[in-house]
């Protein structure tokens, strides 16, 4: 009798698969789904966060294919085409670089909303944005900033004639950079402006060859104590909050993706991103090891 019941159950299951073939894949486990392609830009912060995303998705049971080091000007289009399923970007970058809209003067939530609505036409979506904010900024060697009593850009403007400014060749020309500072705070009559390779700006300041330089607000060097971020007290630079950008089709195919990455992003503050960048860019640790350790300590 037991054999008959087993045979009957097997036959019914087979019939169900034949009649409702589309139902079975929909209830399949996450681990049996098509791999999620997690991409990153070719900068360390993007690679580290991308690896954290990959670990979180794997922990949820998804298969993951990693695609790091995609060119910054290519990754958005690659995600549109489905060559990447999800990657970390920034709300301000999406609004200003991809959508060609103004982010200045808008709040973090307003910029995030514009970004999410704007990418829909491209078959993309964004998830919850992180508190981590990688916007534009100015840094000075801490010793110099303290000696000259400079904590914000208004004070820097007043003492600019004593400050040697190191640029990366475009900051003094870009409308949203030094010209924007001049417009909001009054002209910055720096003692000198010299151009260097962007990767050498902190080293130039550390060597005493310059007193200020443009930076990103999550740079790892800012966690060393050697440098001070000068406050943009008139808020001329908009928020650039970290946010996952995903292909809409991939999101539908992987229903737990959004919740999984939102859980991660909620803990990626500016302080956390700066600490991660310090471990990679200052301490010389491998970004995969840094991501793994952070994930274990904060999520797993």
């Amino acid at each position: 009798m037991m054999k008959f019941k087993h045979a009957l159950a097997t036959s019914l299951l087979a019939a169900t698969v034949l009649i409702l073939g589309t139902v079975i894949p929909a209830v399949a486990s996450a681990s049996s789904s098509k791999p999620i392609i997690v991409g990153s830009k070719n900068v360390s912060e993007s690679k580290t966060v991308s690896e954290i995303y990959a670990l979180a998705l794997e922990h949820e049971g998804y298969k993951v294919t990693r695609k790091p080091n995609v060119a910054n000007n290519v990754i958005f289009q690659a995600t549109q085409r489905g060559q990447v399923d999800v990657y970390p970007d920034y709300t301000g970058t999406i609004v200003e670089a991809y959508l060609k809209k103004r982010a200045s003067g808008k709040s973090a939530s307003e910029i995030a909303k514009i970004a999410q609505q704007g990418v829909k036409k491209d078959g993309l979506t964004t998830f919850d944005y992180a508190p981590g904010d990688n916007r534009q900024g100015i840094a000075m060697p801490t010793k110099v900033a303290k000696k000259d009593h400079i904590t914000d850009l208004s004070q820097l403007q007043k003492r600019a004639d004593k400050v040697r400014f190191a640029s990366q060749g475009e900051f003094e020309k870009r409308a949203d950079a030094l010209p924007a500072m001049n417009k909001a705070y009054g002209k910055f009559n720096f003692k000198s402006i010299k151009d260097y390779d962007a990767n050498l700006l902190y080293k130039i300041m550390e060597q005493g060859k310059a007193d200020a330089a443009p930076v990103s607000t999550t740079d790892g060097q800012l966690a060393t104590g050697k440098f001070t971020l000068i406050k943009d007290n008139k808020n001329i630079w908009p928020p650039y909050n970290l946010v996952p950008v995903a292909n809409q089709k991939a999101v539908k195919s992987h229903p737990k993706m959004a919740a999984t990455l939102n859980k991660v992003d909620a803990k990626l503050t500016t302080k956390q991103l700066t600490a991660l960048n310090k471990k990679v860019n200052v301490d010389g640790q491998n970004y995969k090891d840094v991501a793994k350790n952070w994930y274990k300590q904060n999520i797993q």
Side-chain angles (χ1 to χ4, degrees):
M1 189 65 176
M2 291 296 293
K3 289 182 179 179
F4 173 74
K5 287 183 177 179
H6 178 72
L8 179 61
T10 303
S11 298
L12 288 172
L13 178 60
T16 302
V17 173
L18 287 171
I19 296 169
L20 302 174
T22 57
V23 174
I24 302 302
V27 297
S29 66
S31 61
S32 65
S33 302
K34 180 182 176 182
I36 299 174
I37 304 171
V38 180
S40 84
K41 298 182 180 182
N42 55 1
V43 292
S44 61
E45 181 169 293
S46 185
K47 290 191 289 185
T48 304
V49 173
S50 175
E51 180 63 18
I52 293 172
Y53 286 177
L55 292 169
L57 292 168
E58 286 176 334
H59 187 75
E60 194 59 50
Y62 288 118
K63 295 176 182 176
V64 171
T65 298
R66 291 160 171 80
K67 188 178 282 189
N69 291 311
V70 181
N72 292 6
N73 61 344
V74 170
I75 195 164
F76 187 82
Q77 290 80 6
T79 310
Q80 284 179 281
R81 294 191 291 265
Q83 296 167 331
V84 170
D85 290 328
V86 64
Y87 77 97
D89 211 320
Y90 304 91
T91 55
T93 301
I94 296 167
V95 170
E96 296 195 328
Y98 304 145
L99 302 179
K100 306 298 182 185
K101 295 183 178 181
R102 286 179 57 84
S104 181
K106 295 180 174 60
S107 68
S109 60
E110 288 172 333
I111 295 171
K113 187 175 181 180
I114 294 170
Q116 187 173 63
Q117 293 177 340
V119 299
K120 284 182 180 178
K121 68 182 188 312
D122 298 306
L124 304 175
T125 189
T126 59
F127 300 154
D128 293 349
Y129 65 91
D133 180 358
N134 186 357
R135 71 176 76 184
Q136 192 161 251
I138 299 292
M140 299 181 69
T142 300
K143 291 180 180 179
V144 176
K146 285 185 176 180
K147 178 176 67 71
D148 293 337
H149 305 289
I150 297 173
T151 60
D152 61 38
L153 290 183
S154 290
Q155 292 168 340
L156 178 62
Q157 189 272 338
K158 291 176 182 178
R159 298 167 178 79
D161 60 343
K162 298 178 181 179
V163 174
R164 297 165 298 164
F165 193 80
S167 176
Q168 79 290 60
E170 61 173 20
F171 190 84
E172 61 268 42
K173 304 169 187 173
R174 252 187 20 238
D176 66 336
L178 185 56
M181 290 168 59
N182 290 333
K183 185 176 180 180
Y185 291 95
K187 187 169 178 59
F188 285 76
N189 293 308
F190 289 116
K191 182 177 182 180
S192 64
I193 298 179
K194 292 185 178 180
D195 294 339
Y196 301 91
D197 184 296
N199 296 317
L200 298 177
L201 293 181
Y202 281 104
K203 185 173 287 188
I204 293 298
M205 287 192 287
E206 194 169 9
Q207 292 173 346
K209 297 178 181 178
D211 305 309
V215 300
S216 295
T217 54
T218 60
D219 284 346
Q221 290 86 344
L222 296 173
T224 64
K226 295 179 180 179
F227 302 95
T228 295
L229 184 67
I230 305 305
K231 184 178 179 181
D232 172 19
N233 53 301
K234 293 189 178 180
N235 295 314
I236 62 171
W237 291 315
Y240 271 54
N241 293 84
L242 182 76
V243 69
V245 177
N247 184 286
Q248 290 177 9
K249 291 181 180 178
V251 175
K252 289 179 181 178
S253 300
H254 306 90
K256 294 183 180 180
M257 185 197 297
T260 301
L261 298 189
N262 285 342
K263 183 179 177 182
V264 169
D265 265 19
K267 296 195 175 184
L268 286 172
T269 63
T270 301
K271 186 176 180 179
Q272 290 281 341
L273 289 173
T274 304
L276 288 170
N277 290 332
K278 177 182 179 294
K279 291 179 186 296
V280 177
N281 297 327
V282 179
D283 302 338
Q285 297 181 33
N286 183 280
Y287 78 89
K288 289 186 177 180
D289 294 333
V290 171
K292 186 177 181 180
N293 290 334
W294 185 91
Y295 182 77
K296 284 183 177 180
Q297 293 169 9
N298 294 274
I299 304 294
Q300 196 168 13

